[in-house]
Amino acid sequence: MTVQFLGKILKNPMVLASGILGNSKDILERVHEQGCGLVTMKSIGPEPRDGHKNPTVIDLGHGMINAVGLPTPGHLNMENEWKELEKRDFPLVASVYGGSVKEYQMVAEYVSSKKPDFIEINISCPNSEQHGMIFGINPQSSHDVVSAVKKVIDVPLIVKLTPQAPDIARIAKVCEDAGADAICAINTVGPGMVIDIESRLPVLAFKKGGLSGPMIKPIAVRCVFDIYRTVAIPIIGLGGVSTGEDAIEMIMAGASLVGIGSGVRYRGMDVFQKVADEMETWLLDHHLSLEQIKGAAHKENGE
Ligand SMILES: Cc1cc2nc3c(=O)[nH]c(=O)nc-3n(C[C@H](O)[C@H](O)[C@H](O)COP(=O)(O)O)c2cc1C
């Protein structure tokens, strides 16, 4: 089930989401070998950061809550990883974040010199210059960060959006106008909180965290649906996918590729091949191709 994405041929439309399996070449290579068309690295930030205290990730059965806190060695401290990753023979997305437009630009320019196939900017981070407001909920700061990064990189740019934006489709359009080559939607939903009633305390050390996995899929599908109506660039649909039927739903909402994060926990590292096979079976059973179902939910009466 090969697909074209921004000039590259991928063996299937499945994408490993950022932050799920780290940055080691061996692990990312294994995911690709086990059926993932495109793999995304953990987000890389400007300064070394430990992240939050444990517990940081809790499985709620119907999804997960996490407050990992974007741990990163810092962009200048990954020479060993890059040396290995330069020898890869699989398509790679490097994910970048910062606390200001300048930081995004600095990290993205450096990461671009390491020649990933794509750069994704995670704009779900607080903007230090705007009193901690999340970049991706504000059209102006989304525009500023995308246009600044676009100027300094020489690989296609994917912008990863947050469902916290009151109008995610408007943010997507602003990002497209500022030079984004693709949109990835969505990051975790929240923040949420879970309290252990015996200890009477929040289960996460950081207390609040982002929700992911099956419980957020309807929100992710709605976001992809809204974005597809607004932009012409391709969309990576992400959020709550763990089966072939989930992936078909994302494609019908308008996604070109389908990401999986929490699904790796639920179905193992070979979830990508399982989901690709399940999609293929569904398409064969229905005598349809991927192209025929893309955006199908937008057509009146399913025509
Ligand atoms: C433990 C954990 C860590 C994550 N770290 C990152 C990250 O570093 N950068 C990022 O853009 N998204 C990060 N995410 C968000 C995922 O990439 C994804 O957008 C989200 O989990 C929704 O997809 P899912 O329901 O398939 O998990 C993380 C999610 C989880 C569960």
Side-chain angles (χ1 to χ4, degrees):
M1 209 186 338
T2 59
V3 288
Q4 280 245 24
F5 179 68
L6 303 178
K8 295 258 172 212
I9 305 226
L10 310 179
K11 67 178 170 186
N12 64 36
M14 307 314 305
V15 183
L16 167 68
S18 179
I20 305 299
L21 290 170
N23 285 336
S24 118
K25 181 197 167 218
D26 287 352
I27 294 181
L28 298 176
E29 186 167 58
R30 234 171 84 199
V31 181
H32 179 253
E33 280 167 7
Q34 295 195 0
C36 183
L38 181 61
V39 298
T40 311
M41 298 171 72
K42 168 103 193 132
S43 295
I44 302 162
E47 299 292 338
R49 206 180 131 94
D50 288 338
H52 298 314
K53 290 204 175 81
N54 280 323
T56 53
V57 186
I58 307 278
D59 186 353
L60 307 171
H62 50 302
M64 308 205 303
I65 185 164
N66 93 81
V68 177
L70 288 170
T72 178
H75 69 299
L76 297 178
N77 301 314
M78 291 180 54
E79 284 315 299
N80 291 343
E81 284 92 336
W82 287 122
K83 248 188 219 132
E84 288 304 309
L85 284 165
E86 274 164 16
K87 297 182 233 151
R88 73 186 182 278
D89 55 4
F90 56 90
L92 181 74
V93 184
S95 169
V96 163
Y97 75 88
S100 64
V101 171
K102 276 223 152 59
E103 282 184 358
Y104 272 97
Q105 202 178 31
M106 173 182 74
V107 179
E109 184 169 22
Y110 183 81
V111 165
S112 177
S113 73
K114 301 299 175 188
K115 310 237 171 299
D117 298 277
F118 308 98
I119 288 182
E120 178 171 280
I121 50 171
N122 170 7
I123 60 169
S124 309
C125 303
N127 180 347
S128 54
E129 284 151 4
Q130 285 189 24
H131 312 291
M133 188 212 288
I134 306 287
F135 273 95
I137 64 169
N138 179 281
Q140 187 63 51
S141 53
S142 301
H143 175 276
D144 293 350
V145 70
V146 172
S147 54
V149 167
K150 186 68 187 173
K151 276 188 210 132
V152 296
I153 64 173
D154 47 19
V155 295
L157 175 61
I158 305 167
V159 182
K160 179 160 178 188
L161 302 186
T162 169
Q164 277 171 264
D167 183 351
I168 196 169
R170 174 152 180 240
I171 302 287
K173 180 69 183 138
V174 163
C175 293
E176 179 182 46
D177 293 344
D181 297 289
I183 297 290
C184 175
I186 56 175
N187 212 310
T188 51
V189 174
M193 183 186 281
V194 175
I195 294 170
D196 170 41
I197 58 172
E198 297 308 324
S199 67
R200 305 175 195 183
L201 292 170
V203 294
L204 291 173
F206 191 66
K207 299 185 175 61
K208 301 172 190 177
L211 305 175
S212 63
M215 64 181 155
I216 72 163
K217 194 187 69 179
I219 296 176
V221 169
R222 186 269 299 163
C223 289
V224 170
F225 184 91
D226 286 350
I227 295 166
Y228 183 76
R229 297 209 144 187
T230 320
V231 303
I233 52 179
I235 306 165
I236 302 175
L238 165 66
V241 173
S242 58
T243 68
E245 289 181 1
D246 296 337
I248 297 272
E249 201 180 337
M250 276 294 185
I251 304 267
M252 288 183 173
S256 296
L257 304 182
V258 180
I260 298 182
S262 307
V264 174
R265 290 221 174 194
Y266 293 121
R267 296 188 73 192
M269 252 166 89
D270 59 346
V271 61
F272 302 96
Q273 193 59 56
K274 289 175 183 158
V275 171
D277 290 348
E278 289 161 6
M279 281 174 84
E280 207 148 17
T281 304
W282 190 95
L283 289 168
L284 276 173
D285 285 350
H286 292 76
H287 308 288
L288 289 166
S289 70
L290 214 48
E291 269 315 305
Q292 283 173 310
I293 61 160
K294 191 171 148 199
H298 294 264
K299 295 172 189 148
E300 294 301 323
N301 307 320
E303 290 294 306

